[in-house]
Each structure stands twice: as structure tokens, then as C-alpha cells.
Amino acid sequence: MSKTFYFACLLFIGIFGSCSQNDIDFDDNIDTNFDDPIDTNNIDIQKLLDMVNEVRASGTTCETTYYPPVGAVTWNSTLEAAALKHSKDMKDNDFFSHTSFNGDKFVDRLNAAGYNYNNAGENIALGYSTEENVINAWLTSQGHCANIMNPNFTEMGVGRIENYWTQDFGKPKE
């Protein structure tokens, strides 16, 4: 199957995707290098936190499901690093998926980054040029919106390389 056909299929399925830990199989054999240098994260952290926490504080309807208000999330630099690395991987290898170019799932990337969690989720997006645009797009998608409103998530980090976005959520183990 050609790379062009594969990419067209991904676009047909949707411009963005979401995933939570319940959607994937866990694998403790991780081979992801987080020591490689990475590009600068081109985001406004405070704007992203404010937008997500405003929605979480007021509650929202994700497509047809109402989600009541939930607590705020805080920024986590480890989640940011994992998200940024995935956005870079998607850009550098010209693909769009929750599965890394090398086959790792998002939980593999979180584990490799050293994030120990009880709960985790991920949103990805492609083609958005601003924090407002990507958050608004995620809020119009059931899966992304559900991740944003998940009361089990207490932290988040976002990574952006050009117009490739990854938003990782988690709740650390206590």
C-alpha cells in the first residue's frame, strides 16, 4: 500500500484522533530514547492551561454527552517532553497516529519519559496554527473532548512541532 494511500486513509478517518489508556494494550518492553535533542516547543503554556481549565471548570457537552465541571489540571514538563517528542516524530517521519513510527504506543512514550501514572490519555491534531484553533477542534470531537473533561486526569503537557500537536494527560502515581 502506498504512503499516499495510507495518508489519504488517515485523513478520511479524521484530521485528529484521541486515545486513552483503555484503548491500547500495555507493553513493559520499551525502547524509546528520550536523550536525543529536540526542537523548541512553540506553544503558549499558560494559554493552553487557561483554555483547558476554563472548560473543565464550567463543564461542557462533547457531541451528545454532557460532562459536568471537574478540577483543574496543572502543567507537567515530563508530559510536555513526551508530547513534544511524539509531535516531532510525526513531523519528521511524515505520519499521523497515536502509534509512533517505531511502533510505540503513547503509554510507552510516557513510561520512557519517566512519567509514572495511574491514568493517562492523549490527543493529537494536525493542521492547526494556534492554541485556540487546536483546543476548539479537540472540543468538537467526542474522544478528545472526553479526554479534556476526564476527572481522572490532573496534569497535562502539550508538544507542538509546526502544525503537529500532541496533548498528553495523566494522573501521577502517589
Side-chain angles (χ1 to χ4, degrees), residues 117-166:
Y117 56 90
N118 283 325
N119 295 292
E122 179 174 85
N123 291 341
I124 58 175
L126 173 61
Y128 299 96
S129 59
T130 68
E131 288 81 0
E132 294 88 357
N133 289 345
V134 76
I135 293 293
N136 288 333
W138 282 329
L139 289 172
T140 63
S141 163
Q142 176 63 39
H144 297 98
C145 186
N147 273 344
I148 289 171
M149 294 303 298
N150 189 326
N152 295 315
F153 300 151
T154 59
E155 299 178 329
M156 80 169 201
V158 176
R160 173 187 179 195
I161 300 291
E162 293 182 8
N163 288 329
Y164 289 85
W165 297 78
T166 304

Side-chain angles (χ1 to χ4, degrees), residues 68-86:
V70 295
V73 292
T74 59
W75 194 261
N76 181 283
S77 60
T78 304
L79 288 173
E80 177 186 9
L84 184 60
K85 187 161 183 77
H86 187 56

Side-chain angles (χ1 to χ4, degrees), residues 101-129:
F101 192 71
N102 69 0
D104 286 347
K105 307 289 190 219
F106 84 95
V107 292
D108 299 324
R109 295 187 296 274
L110 296 183
N111 290 331
Y115 186 76
N116 297 312
Y117 56 90
N118 283 325
N119 295 292
E122 179 174 85
N123 291 341
I124 58 175
L126 173 61
Y128 299 96
S129 59

